[in-house]
């Protein structure tokens, strides 16, 4: 590092300290966000250093992050993407590849998923011409069950794609066993659940392929970004191709002839010797991330253990503080799980003397941010009303989520006094109406 560069980065650290809010928490005045990024001086310096080096495309930081993150999540391969939504698209689309021959997913095949979730778990199913098969969730855990998934398996079922709800693991071991017994592809959306475990095993290691998001609300952030992880080397190669325009070449950016036969290929009906860097074996996209994002991801990864512990601690404080408050259904971990929580879910009883909307309004007026449990029942949204789909069983609980459920934050940026204020505010509201 040059003296000039070191001086610049030292000034960046000083600038970061100058920007810190020293006003402290003021109840009813300070915003209590439901989610957000927690960024320190190391994060700011990492971004500026990558910018100083003009690492504007994917490069060494991207490769370092992919290797480190794959090791952390105990998968053989990780591929960075520009978002968690893109990661989901790549993870499912990979199974449409001709390299899976007769097993490949084809339009009209069915994929089991849940109705009460985020659209980007379902959208790749629709975008590939596949048929989503919706099942309901349990109140309290807000996940579906292996029994519901088993009941949904039919003659056209080819895959399962489910997300861990707000970091609370679904019955991943049992569903993985169902997938094995019925020869189904299993895509595990782990965007909300990095660091969660089920039966002592990390979420993201049950599926054939898993996805993660690095949006600011998530456990780690790159601003935007995502990742596809798998231990299946063929699948990893397909994901890389689809992410990188669909090309057949696997050279790193800025490198040529890694295979030592760049001008010796003959594929499709192309002339022999056609440049391998411009042979396309899939209909792909450009969904790569940049080194600036990866540089931030590397410094965030160093803090992951602390972030996870803070989320668990904050969730416990809310759970203990609100325990016994009437008319509220509080969240429960899935039996056998240790969640790395994304949020704290509350469902207002249907016979309560107040509505979810009234409680949310009370909280929002006092600067306590809330969010819905994503889409509620996706089948009721205009985007999906005219899309082919199948529903197995009823969606009663998904409808209850749509009407009566919301969540509040547990992210590491929240302090104990903030959460005490949240607890007191909820109790004040309920007591006044009870």
């Amino acid at each position: 590092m040059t003296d000039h560069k070191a001086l610049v980065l030292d000034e960046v650290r000083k600038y970061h300290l100058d920007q810190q809010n020293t006003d402290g928490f003021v109840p009813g005045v300070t915003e209590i966000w439901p989610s957000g990024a927690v960024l320190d001086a190391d994060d700011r310096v990492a971004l500026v250093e990558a910018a100083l080096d003009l690492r504007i495309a994917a490069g060494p930081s991207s490769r370092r992050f992919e290797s480190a993150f794959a090791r952390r999540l105990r998968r053989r391969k990780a591929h960075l993407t520009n978002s968690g939504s893109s990661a989901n698209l790549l993870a499912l689309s990979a199974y449409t590849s001709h390299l899976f021959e007769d097993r490949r997913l084809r339009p009209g095949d069915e994929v089991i998923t849940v109705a009460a979730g985020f659209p980007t778990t379902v959208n790749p199913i629709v975008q590939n011409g596949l048929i989503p098969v919706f099942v309901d969730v349990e109140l309290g855990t807000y996940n579906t069950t292996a029994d519901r998934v088993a009941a949904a398996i039919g003659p056209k079922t080819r895959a399962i794609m489910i997300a861990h709800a707000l970091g609370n693991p679904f019955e991943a071991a049992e569903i993985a066993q169902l997938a094995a017994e019925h020869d189904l592809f299993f895509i595990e959306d782990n965007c909300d659940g990095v660091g969660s475990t089920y039966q002592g095993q990390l979420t993201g290691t049950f599926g054939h392929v898993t996805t993660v998001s690095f949006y600011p609300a998530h456990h780690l952030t790159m601003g935007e970004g995502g990742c596809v992880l798998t231990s299946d080397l063929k699948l990893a190669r397909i994901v890389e191709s689809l992410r990188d325009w669909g090309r057949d070449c696997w050279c790193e950016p800025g490198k040529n002839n890694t295979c030592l036969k760049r001008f010796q290929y003959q594929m499709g009906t192309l002339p022999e010797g056609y440049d391998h860097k411009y042979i396309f074996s899939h209909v792909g996209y450009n969904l790569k991330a940049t080194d600036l994002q990866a540089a931030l991801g590397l410094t965030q990864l160093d803090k992951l253990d602390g972030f996870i512990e803070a989320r668990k601690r904050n969730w416990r404080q809310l759970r203990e503080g609100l325990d016994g408050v009437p008319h509220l259904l509080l969240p429960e971990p899935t039996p056998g799980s240790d969640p790395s929580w994304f949020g704290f879910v509350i469902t207002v009883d249907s016979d309560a003397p107040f509505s979810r909307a009234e409680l949310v309004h009370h909280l929002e007026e006092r600067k306590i941010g809330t969010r819905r449990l994503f889409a509620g029942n996706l089948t009721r949204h205009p985007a999906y009303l005219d899309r082919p789909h199948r529903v197995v069983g009823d969606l009663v609980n998904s409808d209850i989520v749509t009407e009566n459920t919301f969540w509040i934050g547990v992210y590491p940026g929240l302090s104990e006094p903030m959460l005490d204020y949240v607890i007191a505010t909820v109790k004040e509201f309920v007591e006044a109406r009870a």
Side-chain angles (χ1 to χ4, degrees):
M1 183 187 298
T2 66
D3 291 343
H4 194 182
K5 181 179 178 181
L7 179 62
V8 170
L9 296 180
D10 186 55
E11 289 298 317
V12 170
R13 287 190 180 276
K14 294 176 182 176
Y15 176 81
H16 181 86
L17 292 175
D18 290 343
Q19 299 304 304
Q20 299 308 293
N21 182 0
T22 58
D23 295 338
F25 169 61
V26 181
V29 176
T30 306
E31 294 275 2
I32 300 178
W33 293 99
S35 62
V38 177
L39 302 166
D40 63 15
D42 290 340
D43 296 316
R44 195 183 294 266
V45 167
L47 278 171
V48 172
E49 184 174 14
L52 288 174
D53 293 342
L54 292 177
R55 300 205 304 269
I56 58 175
S61 289
S62 300
R63 303 293 86 77
R64 284 174 53 208
F65 181 87
E66 288 173 335
S67 295
F69 198 58
R71 287 194 300 273
R72 179 59 194 259
L73 266 65
R74 300 175 190 171
R75 306 313 295 257
R76 293 182 67 183
K77 286 289 186 177
H79 287 98
L80 272 177
T81 66
N82 60 358
S83 72
S85 304
S86 294
N88 278 349
L89 177 61
L90 290 170
L92 185 65
S93 299
Y95 287 112
T96 69
S97 170
H98 61 279
L99 296 180
F100 281 102
E101 299 177 340
D102 291 343
R103 292 194 67 217
R104 67 188 290 190
L105 295 178
R106 300 177 184 275
D109 288 341
E110 293 184 344
V111 182
I112 298 170
T113 190
V114 299
F118 199 71
T120 56
T121 308
V122 175
N123 290 350
I125 302 170
V126 176
Q127 289 159 340
N128 278 288
L130 307 168
I131 309 299
V133 178
F134 292 107
V135 294
D136 206 5
V137 298
E138 292 281 288
L139 297 179
T141 68
Y142 301 95
N143 283 303
T144 194
T145 60
D147 287 344
R148 286 186 173 93
V149 172
I153 295 173
K156 294 184 177 180
T157 305
R158 301 294 314 287
I160 302 167
M161 187 169 185
I162 304 175
H164 299 286
L166 291 180
N168 195 14
F170 57 79
E171 295 173 340
E174 293 87 343
I175 291 174
Q177 182 62 36
L178 282 173
E181 290 171 358
H182 295 272
D183 195 25
L184 307 177
F185 299 123
F186 180 20
I187 301 96
E188 188 182 358
D189 182 335
N190 199 36
C191 289
D192 288 357
V194 173
S196 296
T197 62
Y198 181 67
Q199 296 183 2
Q201 182 176 331
L202 276 174
T203 57
T205 61
F206 293 91
H208 300 113
V209 62
T210 189
T211 58
V212 173
S213 171
F214 302 123
Y215 187 71
H218 289 282
H219 291 62
L220 301 176
T221 188
M222 296 183 182
E224 297 284 357
C227 200
V228 183
L229 301 104
T230 184
S231 293
D232 183 328
L233 297 184
K234 179 172 79 170
L235 184 64
R237 179 70 194 93
I238 296 168
V239 167
E240 182 179 42
S241 175
L242 288 169
R243 183 197 64 177
D244 299 0
W245 304 283
R247 67 179 187 162
D248 197 74
C249 176
W250 57 87
C251 287
E252 298 285 354
K255 293 186 178 181
N256 294 321
N257 206 24
T258 303
C259 61
L260 302 179
K261 53 178 185 177
R262 175 181 168 188
F263 298 105
Q264 298 174 37
Y265 285 89
Q266 196 290 309
M267 301 179 71
T269 61
L270 293 168
E272 187 168 349
Y274 200 84
D275 189 346
H276 190 227
K277 289 179 72 69
Y278 292 96
I279 295 176
F280 299 91
S281 51
H282 292 93
V283 177
Y285 314 89
N286 178 4
L287 301 178
K288 298 188 300 298
T290 69
D291 246 32
L292 274 78
Q293 292 167 278
L296 176 57
L298 284 166
T299 59
Q300 286 272 295
L301 187 56
D302 289 339
K303 297 182 276 285
L304 179 57
D305 288 337
F307 288 162
I308 292 170
E309 182 50 43
R311 287 176 175 275
K312 292 180 178 181
R313 182 176 62 248
N314 291 344
W315 189 91
R316 286 195 300 268
Q317 184 177 344
L318 289 172
R319 188 64 178 77
E320 291 167 4
L322 294 173
D323 191 42
V325 176
H327 309 300
L328 301 182
L329 175 64
L330 301 183
E332 296 287 349
T334 300
S337 74
D338 182 12
S340 174
W341 295 99
F342 183 79
F344 188 90
V345 197
I346 297 173
T347 295
V348 176
D349 288 342
S350 57
D351 60 353
F354 55 86
S355 68
R356 174 205 51 79
E358 289 170 330
L359 175 53
V360 164
H361 180 70
H362 182 82
L363 295 172
E364 294 280 351
E365 274 198 328
R366 287 151 182 78
K367 304 297 183 181
I368 299 169
T370 66
R371 295 289 185 267
R372 302 304 297 267
L373 186 49
F374 305 131
N377 185 345
L378 275 166
T379 68
R380 296 171 62 176
H381 286 255
Y384 306 97
L385 292 177
D386 62 348
R387 301 285 184 177
H389 66 273
R390 188 162 65 90
V391 174
V392 176
D394 58 45
L395 299 179
V396 171
N397 291 338
S398 297
D399 285 332
I400 291 173
V401 166
T402 306
E403 302 293 340
N404 296 340
T405 302
F406 69 99
W407 59 271
I408 52 181
V410 299
Y411 83 104
L414 301 180
S415 65
E416 186 175 337
M418 288 177 172
L419 296 173
D420 283 339
Y421 174 64
V422 172
I423 292 165
T425 304
V426 172
K427 286 183 172 179
E428 169 194 67
F429 174 86
V430 175
E431 288 168 3
R433 283 156 179 77

